[in-house]
Amino acid sequence: MNTLPKNWPLLAPLFLFALLTGHLALANTDKPNIIVILTDDQGWGDLSVHGNTNLSTPNIDRLAAQGMSFDRFYVAPICSPTRAEFMTGRYNPRTGVKSASRGEERIDLDETTVFEDFKAAGYHTAAFGKWHNGMQPPYHPNARGIDEYYGFCSGHWGHYYSPMLEHNGEIVTGEGFLIDDFTTRAMNYIEAHKEEPFFVYLPYCTPHSPMQVPDRWWDKFENHDLPLRARKDQSENLPHARAALAMCENIDWNVGRLMQKLNDLKIADNTIVIYFSDNGPNGFRWNGDMKGKKGTVDEGGVRSAFFIRWPAKIKAGSKTDTISGSIDLKPTLLDLAGIRDTGTLPMDGVSLKPLLFDHAENWPDRLYINHFVGKTSVRSQRFRLGFKGGLYDMQNDPGQRVDVRAKFPKVYEKLTKAGKKFDREVVPELPEGKDERPFMIGHPDLTFTQLPARDAIATGDIKRSGRAPNCSFYTNWVNTEDTISWNAEVQIEGDYRAQVYYTCTKEDLGTVLELRCGESAITQKVTVANNPPLVGRESDRSPRRSESFMKDFVPLDLGVIHLKKGPNQLVLKALEIPGTQSIEMRLIMLNRISKGKN
Ligand SMILES: [Ca+2]
């Protein structure tokens, strides 16, 4: 790159002209800005560029037209594992990410995220959206290389209109529809940081349920007769599919706004924009005749759209069918920006740079593994070995209908061997059984710790407000002997201000709460009523299955509690319940107010 072209004397005047007029696209390409847009539960088929005539996604399609498409790009079958693969360049079982809730989504602390590497190289880093890889520091985004964080750390949220969110650890209220809000925040951030290299991660939370989308997008789909449908052996829920497509058109509109912002700021040329999804579609709908959906390791569960646009360097409209996936993103981004990995753990992924720049003559014949909860599938360039052992010729049978293992015994043997090796060597990196890692309290550099109902255990008659814990709260707290507790570990000894986010009817005022951790305890009487309505149902375009509805919880100061370093139970009790029940409990917020002892 440092040698001058042979016709340099002829080009020199042009070069100077470009330099003087500011038109030199090559300027600073050694530190390109990065934007990674990650959608949630959007299938490969949920884009018009992939032939879906049910919807129109011109702005996302344009990323493909102006950049490069990877048409066989694989991710894990659910949210958190894919995110962990993207951030670490390693297969998800290696990263400690077992599932999607109650701490099982946390990325192990010996892993190095791509954000930590870019931050170490002088980038400013930000994330707007659903983190879903750990909530309490040191797992929190602000402890994993993200300078600016706005969104929610849980796996899903119960309401998409101005809900409770967090901003760098502080509880805040969102503004309007979440995807619009995240995008606007990202645009403002980019404008403020346009002079320095930045890395913006935009993990959107749609079209993941609850199926909420503003009228502007829903109106087109409400009575829309979808011309393309799921294949015959897949049962399609039409209202759900319509809502998902409307949500995808809303994403597209936001991608358009974001790209316009880059153009307006004149930084589009040297900004790498990546677009992909974290797993297959969250319901059967048209998906290019593929087998499977979210949660499965069949082609339809793990194949994602993947576009990468970098006008200064990547040829517009280029395409590859070469297999690749989420484990390749970290090595690729580091390679493109010329940044060293600050971690020591070996990556499973490889840099896609040779494919991007058409220098892939010696590209190796790879096998790509998809794995989730006891199911392993192996993909070669042509074949997929299903988790039940069937072998499918994906070139001639992309719908995985005919088992060809008898016809290709050598291929079958090779892929089976690779799958078994993965099961033997990689899968055991996850501990068996329940995730026993405690929930951390305190951090040397960050003062906040949020302990939600999601991560707590309740006894007796106390009930969780929804089937899925992620955004739930505890209700029906009618007995003084019942408790809500967290399996915690205090990392930094010190004084912590404790708040509980609660509801309490006027009739139930006077309940007395105790927060205890070992020898330390504080008590507080509830004297201010907060009785907001349950929200979410009225905005669902298709009924939800598992997410809790939400309420407008408010903080109540419990006082200052001294926490000693080490593992301990943090226990919330109701010492007195004068009414029919104590509070409804959404979360405990702890803020370290003393300097703290490590
Ligand atoms: Ca997802």
Side-chain angles (χ1 to χ4, degrees):
M1 288 301 285
N2 292 327
T3 50
L4 293 169
K6 280 186 191 127
N7 53 352
W8 166 246
L10 293 170
L11 292 174
L14 268 177
F15 179 86
L16 279 174
F17 175 78
L19 195 68
L20 290 169
T21 55
H23 285 87
L24 195 65
L26 290 174
N28 212 21
T29 49
D30 58 327
K31 286 215 167 181
N33 303 309
I34 315 284
I35 299 177
V36 173
I37 304 166
L38 176 61
T39 57
D40 195 351
D41 292 4
Q42 180 179 39
W44 174 91
D46 292 335
L47 294 169
S48 44
V49 70
H50 289 153
N52 193 340
T53 52
N54 290 338
L55 85 170
S56 172
T57 51
N59 295 297
I60 300 165
D61 297 0
R62 207 168 292 126
L63 293 177
Q66 296 174 344
M68 183 159 183
S69 311
F70 284 67
D71 201 41
R72 294 292 185 280
F73 186 85
Y74 299 103
V75 293
I78 69 162
C79 312
S80 305
T82 292
R83 287 149 209 267
E85 291 186 347
F86 150 59
M87 286 186 215
T88 65
R90 288 155 53 78
Y91 280 123
N92 67 75
R94 295 197 200 276
T95 67
V97 175
K98 190 163 198 177
S99 193
S101 190
R102 305 192 70 173
E104 293 196 322
E105 77 285 5
R106 290 175 288 180
I107 296 176
D108 276 338
L109 298 173
D110 59 349
E111 301 283 340
T112 307
T113 70
V114 67
F115 308 116
E116 288 169 309
D117 290 335
F118 273 79
K119 192 171 152 68
Y123 274 68
H124 208 276
T125 56
F128 305 92
K130 171 177 128 170
W131 175 251
H132 208 182
N133 283 119
M135 179 181 284
Q136 297 84 15
Y139 299 98
H140 187 275
N142 287 135
R144 299 304 305 245
I146 295 288
D147 294 316
E148 169 78 7
Y149 178 64
Y150 177 84
F152 61 91
C153 286
S154 278
H156 55 239
W157 228 220
H159 192 51
Y160 287 170
Y161 296 90
S162 307
M164 172 198 281
L165 296 174
E166 63 163 286
H167 180 210
N168 295 330
E170 188 192 337
I171 303 286
V172 296
T173 302
E175 290 175 51
F177 188 61
L178 272 185
I179 307 306
D180 306 354
D181 191 12
F182 294 150
T183 309
T184 301
R185 291 264 174 171
M187 287 159 64
N188 293 341
Y189 170 88
I190 288 166
E191 181 150 10
H193 294 271
K194 66 177 194 291
E195 305 293 348
E196 55 189 324
F198 60 78
F199 190 141
V200 167
Y201 175 38
L202 250 175
Y204 287 148
C205 56
T206 58
H208 195 298
S209 52
M211 307 309 281
Q212 299 184 349
V213 62
D215 290 345
R216 179 172 165 190
W217 288 277
W218 178 241
D219 286 349
K220 174 179 159 185
F221 286 93
E222 188 175 5
N223 298 308
H224 186 37
D225 182 27
L226 305 180
L228 294 177
R229 303 291 295 272
R231 58 189 239 188
K232 287 201 171 57
D233 59 348
Q234 300 173 340
S235 68
E236 183 169 359
N237 174 336
L238 210 48
H240 186 277
R242 286 183 178 123
L245 297 177
M247 291 158 104
C248 290
E249 286 205 355
N250 165 267
I251 291 172
D252 184 73
W253 178 74
N254 278 296
V255 168
R257 291 202 300 139
L258 184 69
M259 298 310 290
Q260 186 58 47
K261 182 55 118 182
L262 299 184
N263 288 338
D264 292 348
L265 297 173
K266 300 191 168 42
I267 55 170
D269 255 13
N270 197 33
T271 299
I272 297 173
V273 178
I274 282 177
Y275 185 95
F276 74 118
S277 176
D278 66 347
N279 48 250
N282 51 353
F284 286 124
R285 50 185 181 264
W286 184 84
N287 195 25
D289 194 47
M290 283 185 276
K291 185 182 179 188
K293 59 176 168 113
K294 175 184 182 180
T296 74
V297 289
D298 290 316
E299 189 82 353
V302 294
R303 183 174 168 204
S304 160
F306 184 81
F307 312 121
I308 176 166
R309 178 188 186 272
W310 187 11
K313 293 269 190 162
I314 295 172
K315 201 173 142 206
S318 43
K319 237 181 210 173
T320 181
D321 287 339
T322 304
I323 58 168
S324 61
S326 36
I327 56 170
D328 299 328
L329 293 181
K330 177 176 162 180
T332 302
L333 286 168
L334 292 177
D335 197 9
L336 292 179
I339 288 174
R340 232 173 33 84
D341 186 12
T342 58
T344 53
L345 300 173
M347 289 189 268
D348 294 304
V350 295
S351 169
L352 303 174
K353 193 173 168 185
L355 294 166
L356 285 166
F357 298 149
D358 205 14
H359 296 141
E361 300 84 12
N362 299 315
W363 192 254
D365 186 20
R366 296 169 87 193
L367 295 179
Y368 199 97
I369 312 284
N370 293 110
H371 170 87
F372 185 59
V373 203
K375 292 174 184 162
T376 301
S377 175
V378 183
R379 186 68 155 87
S380 69
Q381 189 59 45
R382 180 171 166 189
F383 295 92
R384 177 172 287 286
L385 178 74
F387 69 93
K388 287 182 185 157
L391 183 73
Y392 304 94
D393 179 350
M394 303 306 288
Q395 258 168 32
N396 298 306
D397 175 31
Q400 286 177 254
R401 287 179 172 86
V402 186
D403 183 354
V404 293
R405 79 181 101 168
K407 204 170 153 194
F408 298 96
K410 283 207 173 119
V411 175
Y412 178 70
E413 193 190 331
K414 184 182 166 191
L415 270 57
T416 303
K417 216 170 137 192
K420 285 198 170 141
K421 185 167 190 277
F422 188 90
D423 287 343
R424 203 171 53 237
E425 292 176 7
V426 180
V427 175
E429 292 201 31
L430 277 178
E432 271 182 52
K434 210 172 137 270
D435 190 328
E436 299 291 351
R437 290 175 291 181
F439 295 101
M440 299 294 203
I441 295 174
H443 185 272
D445 307 321
L446 301 169
T447 55
F448 61 86
T449 297
Q450 184 189 152
L451 293 161
R454 179 190 88 140
D455 297 336
I457 298 159
T459 62
D461 291 323
I462 301 174
K463 285 190 175 60
R464 201 178 276 290
S465 63
R467 191 158 63 83
N470 273 322
C471 64
S472 66
F473 55 93
Y474 278 124
T475 185
N476 199 50
W477 192 351
V478 295
N479 303 313
T480 49
E481 58 268 32
D482 293 348
T483 60
I484 295 171
S485 65
W486 290 263
N487 171 30
E489 180 172 336
V490 178
Q491 292 196 101
I492 303 285
E493 177 169 350
D495 295 329
Y496 291 76
R497 180 166 297 286
Q499 294 173 309
V500 59
Y501 280 69
Y502 80 108
T503 73
C504 185
T505 63
K506 214 165 86 192
E507 294 72 30
D508 290 332
L509 287 178
T511 184
V512 176
L513 302 172
E514 180 199 73
L515 183 68
R516 177 177 287 279
C517 190
E519 309 277 287
S520 306
I522 48 175
T523 58
Q524 184 63 274
K525 186 186 265 194
V526 181
T527 57
V528 180
N530 174 44
N531 189 21
L534 206 57
V535 293
R537 195 191 305 271
E538 67 291 345
S539 305
D540 288 355
R541 305 300 187 175
S542 165
R544 66 183 67 193
R545 296 182 190 116
S546 56
E547 298 91 12
S548 172
F549 294 111
M550 308 261 269
K551 285 190 177 187
D552 192 7
F553 295 90
V554 295
L556 166 74
D557 266 323
L558 294 174
V560 175
I561 185 166
H562 186 81
L563 299 179
K564 288 206 168 120
K565 190 177 163 80
N568 221 325
Q569 292 287 311
L570 187 78
V571 185
L572 190 64
K573 276 195 80 169
L575 301 178
E576 293 171 37
I577 303 179
T580 54
Q581 66 170 331
S582 182
I583 60 166
E584 286 180 321
M585 202 289 300
R586 175 64 180 81
L587 65 93
I588 295 272
M589 196 75 200
L590 296 169
N591 270 292
R592 181 164 52 81
I593 54 173
S594 67
K595 196 158 175 285
K597 273 192 283 186
N598 202 336

Coordinates of all heavy atoms in Angstrom, one line a residue, residues 39-42 76-80 82-83 130 132 155 204 208 277-280 282 294, ligand 1:
T39 N -30.2 -6.8 13.3 CA -31.6 -6.9 13.5 C -31.9 -8.1 14.3 O -31.1 -9.0 14.4 CB -32.5 -6.9 12.2 OG1 -32.0 -8.0 11.4 CG2 -32.3 -5.6 11.5
D40 N -33.1 -8.2 14.9 CA -33.5 -9.3 15.8 C -34.6 -10.1 15.3 O -35.7 -9.6 15.2 CB -33.9 -8.6 17.1 CG -33.9 -9.5 18.3 OD1 -33.8 -10.7 18.1 OD2 -34.1 -9.0 19.4
D41 N -34.3 -11.4 15.0 CA -35.3 -12.3 14.5 C -35.8 -12.0 13.1 O -36.9 -12.4 12.7 CB -36.6 -12.4 15.4 CG -36.3 -13.0 16.8 OD1 -35.1 -13.3 17.0 OD2 -37.2 -13.2 17.6
Q42 N -35.0 -11.3 12.3 CA -35.4 -11.0 10.9 C -34.8 -12.2 10.1 O -33.6 -12.5 10.1 CB -34.8 -9.7 10.5 CG -35.1 -9.4 9.0 CD -34.5 -8.0 8.6 OE1 -33.4 -7.7 8.9 NE2 -35.3 -7.3 7.8
A76 N -25.8 -17.9 14.9 CA -26.4 -18.9 15.8 C -27.9 -18.8 15.7 O -28.4 -17.8 15.2 CB -25.9 -18.6 17.2
P77 N -28.6 -19.9 16.2 CA -30.1 -19.9 16.0 C -30.9 -19.0 17.0 O -32.1 -18.8 16.8 CB -30.5 -21.3 16.2 CG -29.3 -22.0 16.7 CD -28.1 -21.1 16.6
I78 N -30.2 -18.4 18.0 CA -30.9 -17.4 18.8 C -30.0 -16.2 19.1 O -28.8 -16.2 18.8 CB -31.5 -18.0 20.1 CG1 -30.4 -18.4 21.1 CG2 -32.4 -19.1 19.9 CD1 -30.8 -18.5 22.5
C79 N -30.6 -15.2 19.8 CA -30.0 -13.9 20.0 C -28.6 -13.8 20.6 O -27.6 -13.5 20.0 CB -30.9 -13.0 20.9 SG -32.6 -13.0 20.4
S80 N -28.5 -14.2 21.9 CA -27.2 -13.9 22.6 C -26.0 -14.7 22.0 O -24.9 -14.1 22.0 CB -27.4 -14.3 24.1 OG -28.5 -13.6 24.7
T82 N -25.3 -15.4 19.0 CA -24.8 -14.7 17.8 C -24.1 -13.5 18.1 O -23.0 -13.2 17.6 CB -26.0 -14.4 16.8 OG1 -26.6 -15.6 16.3 CG2 -25.6 -13.5 15.7
R83 N -24.6 -12.7 19.1 CA -24.0 -11.5 19.5 C -22.6 -11.8 20.1 O -21.6 -11.1 19.8 CB -24.8 -10.8 20.6 CG -26.1 -10.2 20.0 CD -27.3 -10.2 21.0 NE -28.5 -10.2 20.2 CZ -29.2 -9.1 19.8 NH1 -28.8 -8.0 20.1 NH2 -30.2 -9.3 19.0
K130 N -30.5 -3.3 22.0 CA -30.6 -4.5 22.9 C -29.2 -5.1 23.0 O -28.7 -5.7 22.0 CB -31.6 -5.5 22.3 CG -31.6 -6.8 23.0 CD -32.7 -7.7 22.4 CE -32.1 -9.0 21.9 NZ -33.2 -10.0 21.6
H132 N -28.0 -7.6 25.5 CA -28.3 -9.1 25.6 C -27.0 -9.9 25.8 O -27.0 -11.1 25.3 CB -29.1 -9.5 24.4 CG -30.0 -10.7 24.7 ND1 -30.7 -11.3 23.8 CD2 -30.2 -11.4 25.9 CE1 -31.4 -12.4 24.4 NE2 -31.0 -12.4 25.6
G155 N -33.0 -9.6 27.3 CA -33.2 -10.3 26.0 C -34.4 -9.8 25.2 O -34.4 -9.8 24.0
Y204 N -30.8 -3.5 16.9 CA -32.3 -3.3 17.0 C -33.0 -4.4 17.7 O -32.5 -5.6 17.6 CB -32.8 -3.1 15.6 CG -32.5 -1.9 14.8 CD1 -32.3 -1.9 13.5 CD2 -32.4 -0.6 15.5 CE1 -32.0 -0.7 12.8 CE2 -32.1 0.5 14.8 CZ -31.9 0.5 13.5 OH -31.6 1.7 12.8
H208 N -38.3 -8.9 16.5 CA -38.6 -9.7 17.7 C -39.9 -9.2 18.3 O -40.2 -8.0 18.3 CB -37.4 -9.5 18.7 CG -37.4 -10.6 19.8 ND1 -38.4 -10.7 20.7 CD2 -36.5 -11.5 20.1 CE1 -38.1 -11.7 21.5 NE2 -37.0 -12.2 21.2
S277 N -28.6 -10.1 10.7 CA -29.6 -10.5 11.6 C -29.1 -11.5 12.6 O -28.1 -12.2 12.3 CB -30.9 -11.0 11.0 OG -31.8 -11.4 11.9
D278 N -29.7 -11.6 13.8 CA -29.0 -12.5 14.8 C -29.5 -14.0 14.7 O -29.0 -14.8 15.4 CB -29.3 -11.9 16.2 CG -30.7 -11.9 16.6 OD1 -31.6 -12.1 15.8 OD2 -31.0 -11.7 17.8
N279 N -30.6 -14.2 13.9 CA -31.0 -15.6 13.8 C -32.1 -15.6 12.7 O -32.5 -14.6 12.2 CB -31.5 -16.2 15.1 CG -32.5 -15.4 15.9 OD1 -32.1 -14.8 16.9 ND2 -33.7 -15.1 15.4
G280 N -32.7 -16.8 12.4 CA -33.7 -16.9 11.4 C -35.0 -16.3 11.9 O -35.1 -15.7 13.0
N282 N -38.7 -15.4 13.4 CA -39.3 -15.7 14.6 C -40.7 -16.3 14.4 O -41.6 -16.2 15.2 CB -39.4 -14.5 15.5 CG -40.0 -13.3 14.9 OD1 -40.3 -13.3 13.7 ND2 -40.3 -12.3 15.6
K294 N -36.1 -19.6 13.6 CA -35.4 -19.2 14.8 C -35.3 -20.4 15.8 O -36.4 -21.1 16.0 CB -36.0 -18.1 15.5 CG -35.4 -17.7 16.8 CD -36.2 -16.6 17.5 CE -35.5 -16.2 18.8 NZ -36.2 -15.1 19.5
Ligands
CA1 CA -33.0 -12.8 17.9

